Amino acid sequence: MRRKKDDKSLTRAEMEIMNILWDEGEEGMTTHEVIEKYPEPKPAYSTIATYMKILTLKGFVGFRKTEQGSKTHRFHTLISRQEYTSKFMQEVKDSFFSGSFKSLLTFFAREEEISPETLEQILQLIEKEDGSC
């Protein structure tokens, strides 16, 4: 199955790599460095290299050569964790809750068995941040 070029969501494996890159910061990492940070069992070099190519094609990751003429690349994120999370949650809200924040919040409140007191604290935080609610 071929990926759509406009597919801007991350698979579980891609998210694992992105989390490693986000944790390391702006300097970026080589494929070998990503593998070193990967939990056991560590994937093969070719597996991570393939994912890096996919992440590059999707526009989540950029790269630069480490030295003139070198084949080694340093990969860095092109989107922050916060930007991706915000976009992802917006898609969840739109896809599963017809764009309703109230429906999304109600769902999670029920699923997580959040107490009325905790919900009130959440609403106060939201009100404090954007002055509405």
Side-chain angles (χ1 to χ4, degrees), residues 28-42:
M29 302 175 79
T30 66
T31 303
H32 286 292
E33 290 169 337
V34 170
I35 294 168
E36 286 174 20
K37 296 285 184 180
Y38 215 88
E40 293 291 341
K42 296 191 184 294

Side-chain angles (χ1 to χ4, degrees), residues 10-20 22 55 84:
L10 295 169
T11 66
R12 187 177 303 238
E14 292 165 351
M15 181 63 84
E16 182 81 34
I17 293 169
M18 288 298 292
N19 279 323
I20 290 169
W22 281 323
L55 288 166
Y84 181 75

Side-chain angles (χ1 to χ4, degrees), residues 75-111:
F75 294 91
H76 58 277
T77 61
L78 296 175
I79 184 172
S80 72
R81 189 185 323 244
Q82 176 65 35
E83 289 171 307
Y84 181 75
T85 302
S86 179
K87 180 184 168 300
F88 181 81
M89 290 307 297
Q90 183 66 43
E91 288 176 13
V92 167
K93 184 177 81 165
D94 292 345
S95 298
F96 295 101
F97 302 98
S98 302
S100 168
F101 176 72
K102 182 179 176 183
S103 295
L104 174 106
L105 187 57
T106 301
F107 171 81
F108 282 108
R110 285 186 182 135
E111 284 295 307

